[in-house]
Amino acid sequence: MNDAAPVPTPTPAPRRRARVRAPELIGNGGWINTGGKDLKLADFRGRTLILDFWTFCCVNCLHVLDELRELEEKHRDTVVIVGVHSPKFVHEAEHQAVVDAVERYEVHHPVLDDPELATWKQYAVRAWPTLVVIDPEGYVVAQHAGEGHAHALETLVAELEAEHGAKGTLRRGDGPYVPPEPVATELRFPGKALLLPGGTFLVSDTTRHQLVELAADGESVLRRIGAGERGFADGPADQARFSEPQGLALLPDGTVIAADTVNHALRSLDLATGEVRTVAGTGRQWWQGSPAAGPAREVDLSSPWDVAWFAGRLWIAMAGVHQLWTYDPADGMVRAAAGTTNEGLVDGPAAEAWFAQPSGLAAAGDRLWIADSETSAVRYVERDGRDGEDGFVVRTAVGTGLFDFGHRDGPAEQALFQHPLGVTALPDGSVAVSDTYNHALRRFDPASGEVSTLATDLREPSDAVLVDGDIVVVESARHRLTRLRLPEEAVRVAAVAHRTRRAATEIAPGTLRLDVVFQAPAGQKLDTRYGPSTRLLVSSTPPELLAQGEGAGTELSRELVLADGVTEGVLHVSAMAASCDDDPLNEYPACHVHQQDWGVPVRVTDGGATRLPLVLAGMDEPS
């Protein structure tokens, strides 16, 4: 027995972090969700501030919005999340479009509209999405690009609460969020529409988390499917729950399939009874390394955005991983059918093609048309033509890449769209394109190779369906269906071409050192139980930009050699790192995947940078 006084256990010293004074928050578009008040960085002093650099076209940004919801609620008295909207497309620089997107995606925190990317540049951001953590004293303490950082942020926020609570520099209380006034409309940001056999319409009422059946007039509500609150539940029409549903398709047996986008699932609807059930997906988001085929209810999906019946199965526009998948109701299986998960525009055999947020599908004969939104492209899948083979090939009809867009009619090789979300097969073999960010309905004619404009002054059209020679357009940002006569002559539109508002990174000719910065979050370590825990894939557009350094590897740093004579292009960098909780007493520690795809526009110039740092997680501290 020891009678000596017990020795108190020392309180561990706070973990030392690199700290950089946070730049001011500036944006010519002003503030949203603050009740009209302009905010400054000083207004957040005493709170942990998380800046979410996002743009509303980006599905990965939408994933991060969902990842942040729990953190935002749990730490609402000590943490403020501020969205910094940093546009890629010209339409995304319109203030009203940002206001609409904030409501559409239920963003319940202040948003700074930064149309000129001023704050983006101040914080040296290089990717959508990027999260920057600022401590209660106004210092940047962490940066994370891409998805999968929720656990790391939770750990860091808890550390900052304890550290600044002890120092007396933590301030608790309500944040500056002021919700907007609700608006009464029958639909709210509808996504897709389906003409039902009886002549009525089924519409995905995305922001209200419902499916709505409208009468043949396209206006009168006949019934609503879903309780109208975000959730994931099967059952009768008044009890089922969805989360931002989008695409709709009719199966040969008369069942409707809905792409339940944020639930990462496919749901079936029995039109006779209104019963909803889940036919594919687990409710969890697919990550690299997860199975890409198997029993439909056991395989994770990732933001399915549209669905269409083609070649004897249901095809899924899997926007979240830049792929097309299929679901076969006969055997209950799902499988990846096209795309590598790399983001870009690459044609060829289905398994080798690259997509960029495929968001609209339409079957027409032997082709499946695709609205590939982030490349502003119209593409298609068809059989590859080899006897006895069931293979498919991907081809591009209109579009050139991630950063070229606009509104230009004419020959397909010169025509431009701006982030189209929908395609509709027309009776003459042509395709109507819901050219969302151009507020237009366009047409591509494969026979002539020409693109024309059918209608303008639509507000973010996202889909269209044919009805008795007319075309009914989903005007998402006007919250309605709009019926148009299919014009015999195209509308004349002044041609305009755009490049992304994001400035190109100037790099020096010769050798470029690429460093993907990843520091395992506090309490975690790299997961090497099954081999290397990191992956790096590099390519370029045009391919001739790189003389050396493209391809896959496990090291997060690489020497790239730029080819002579190519002065600009895009570096495509995909990185992944897996970390696990560092607890020697836990035989089955929780593991976390961090991943991001960068498309970095570059310009080769004398005096440019010789090092390109891309932060996946942590802080860049070059030696």
Side-chain angles (χ1 to χ4, degrees):
M1 184 173 178
N2 187 346
D3 293 327
V7 178
T9 302
T11 302
R15 188 166 55 97
R16 296 198 60 182
R17 306 182 194 87
R19 298 205 311 169
V20 177
R21 176 64 72 179
E24 188 53 83
L25 305 178
I26 51 177
N28 284 344
W31 288 86
I32 303 166
N33 281 355
T34 64
K37 181 181 178 181
D38 289 339
L39 301 176
K40 298 293 184 184
L41 199 64
D43 294 325
F44 304 102
R45 194 61 54 84
R47 315 287 286 276
T48 296
L49 175 62
I50 301 175
L51 302 181
D52 176 16
F53 289 86
W54 70 299
T55 188
F56 63 77
C57 71
C58 163
V59 72
N60 309 93
C61 299
L62 305 185
H63 291 167
V64 168
L65 284 175
D66 291 313
E67 288 179 359
L68 292 175
R69 293 186 200 279
E70 183 177 347
L71 177 75
E72 191 168 26
E73 179 61 29
K74 182 177 178 181
H75 298 276
R76 61 189 311 164
D77 65 334
T78 61
V79 173
V80 176
I81 296 173
V82 166
V84 181
H85 189 269
S86 313
K88 171 186 173 181
F89 290 97
V90 169
H91 170 59
E92 293 176 304
E94 297 175 15
H95 182 70
Q96 185 58 46
V98 183
V99 172
D100 287 346
V102 167
E103 180 189 350
R104 180 194 300 264
Y105 298 116
E106 296 184 318
V107 179
H108 293 165
H109 51 249
V111 173
L112 175 63
D113 180 11
D114 182 18
E116 296 173 357
L117 280 74
T119 296
W120 164 289
K121 294 169 187 173
Q122 287 278 80
Y123 281 81
V125 175
R126 294 184 184 274
W128 297 280
T130 291
L131 299 168
V132 175
V133 182
I134 300 171
D135 74 11
E137 294 180 297
Y139 288 90
V140 175
V141 293
Q143 182 171 326
H144 302 271
E147 305 175 48
H149 303 294
H151 183 272
L153 288 173
E154 170 66 41
T155 301
L156 178 56
V157 162
E159 284 185 0
L160 291 172
E161 281 184 359
E163 177 183 335
H164 289 274
K167 289 174 64 175
T169 50
L170 184 71
R171 176 169 58 89
R172 295 180 180 270
D174 293 333
Y177 169 65
V178 178
E181 290 293 325
V183 181
T185 54
E186 295 288 10
L187 302 174
R188 205 70 191 160
F189 298 103
K192 304 288 185 182
L194 177 68
L195 181 65
L196 296 177
T200 60
F201 297 94
L202 189 67
V203 181
S204 54
D205 197 14
T206 303
T207 300
R208 294 214 177 108
H209 315 296
Q210 291 180 319
L211 309 181
V212 178
E213 186 175 0
L214 300 179
D217 62 8
E219 298 179 7
S220 306
V221 174
L222 300 178
R223 60 172 168 168
R224 297 181 181 274
I225 310 296
E229 296 180 356
R230 186 189 297 273
F232 190 14
D234 290 342
D238 61 343
Q239 298 177 24
R241 292 198 176 195
F242 299 89
S243 188
E244 298 181 27
Q246 286 282 348
L248 301 164
L250 195 65
L251 298 187
D253 66 1
T255 300
V256 170
I257 297 293
D260 194 6
T261 304
V262 176
N263 278 329
H264 312 294
L266 299 185
R267 316 292 291 283
S268 73
L269 168 64
D270 185 318
L271 288 171
T273 66
E275 188 79 13
V276 174
R277 67 184 183 92
T278 303
V279 296
T282 62
R284 298 183 300 270
Q285 184 183 339
W286 188 93
W287 290 96
Q288 291 287 351
S290 301
R297 290 296 310 275
E298 299 175 16
V299 175
D300 299 339
L301 307 181
S302 183
S303 296
W305 208 276
D306 202 5
V307 282
W309 186 261
F310 173 70
R313 66 206 77 170
L314 187 77
W315 288 65
I316 310 162
M318 202 75 78
V321 284
H322 318 299
Q323 288 182 306
L324 304 182
W325 285 41
T326 62
Y327 164 61
D328 187 345
D331 62 12
M333 303 290 281
V334 293
R335 54 182 56 82
T340 63
T341 75
N342 295 316
E343 184 179 16
L345 193 153
V346 176
D347 290 342
E352 300 172 15
W354 291 24
F355 296 95
Q357 276 179 231
S359 301
L361 300 176
D366 58 359
R367 286 183 177 177
L368 177 69
W369 293 98
I370 306 154
D372 201 27
S373 62
E374 280 295 288
T375 53
S376 297
V378 172
R379 307 173 73 185
Y380 59 92
V381 170
E382 63 181 359
R383 296 193 185 277
D384 65 7
R386 290 180 293 177
D387 292 339
E389 295 284 343
D390 191 29
F392 292 89
V393 65
V394 177
R395 306 189 196 279
T396 298
V398 184
T400 57
L402 284 165
F403 299 108
D404 298 301
F405 52 90
H407 191 151
R408 186 164 64 197
D409 291 333
E413 60 270 17
Q414 300 177 13
L416 294 171
F417 297 106
Q418 187 179 182
H419 198 79
L421 289 178
V423 281
T424 306
L426 299 180
D428 63 358
S430 64
V431 182
V433 182
S434 295
D435 194 5
T436 309
Y437 288 2
N438 281 326
H439 309 301
L441 187 68
R442 312 280 296 283
R443 176 178 177 263
F444 168 64
D445 183 359
S448 66
E450 293 281 322
V451 173
S452 57
T453 297
L454 298 177
T456 58
D457 193 31
L458 300 167
R459 187 69 186 171
E460 293 191 13
S462 54
D463 196 20
V465 293
L466 281 173
V467 185
D468 299 328
D470 293 344
I471 192 161
V472 176
V473 180
V474 179
E475 277 198 273
S476 188
R478 282 199 179 112
H479 320 293
R480 70 188 189 192
L481 304 189
T482 299
R483 190 168 185 136
L484 305 172
R485 299 292 298 177
L486 271 175
E488 295 189 9
E489 292 190 11
V491 177
R492 293 189 177 275
V493 178
V496 58
H498 300 295
R499 293 280 289 175
T500 178
R501 287 176 170 256
R502 177 182 173 185
T505 298
E506 294 192 348
I507 57 175
T511 300
L512 175 70
R513 180 173 179 82
L514 171 67
D515 287 329
V516 173
V517 177
F518 178 76
Q519 296 155 3
Q524 297 179 32
K525 63 179 181 180
L526 289 175
D527 179 16
T528 57
R529 292 172 299 166
Y530 308 109
S533 60
T534 55
R535 187 192 73 154
L536 179 65
L537 178 67
V538 178
S539 64
S540 65
T541 302
E544 297 77 21
L545 177 64
L546 288 180
Q548 294 179 32
E550 67 175 2
T554 58
E555 297 294 325
L556 292 182
S557 294
R558 188 179 300 182
E559 299 286 339
L560 307 180
V561 179
L562 302 167
D564 294 334
V566 182
T567 58
E568 63 178 1
V570 178
L571 288 175
H572 303 282
V573 180
S574 177
M576 184 190 77
S579 61
C580 287
D581 293 347
D582 189 10
D583 181 356
L585 300 180
N586 187 351
E587 186 178 356
Y588 302 104
C591 294
H592 315 276
V593 177
H594 318 263
Q595 65 182 44
Q596 171 65 356
D597 295 332
W598 290 267
V600 184
V602 295
R603 183 178 299 113
V604 182
T605 179
D606 292 334
T610 59
R611 176 176 177 264
L612 177 62
L614 301 175
V615 176
L616 179 59
M619 297 282 285
D620 179 34
E621 301 176 54
S623 55

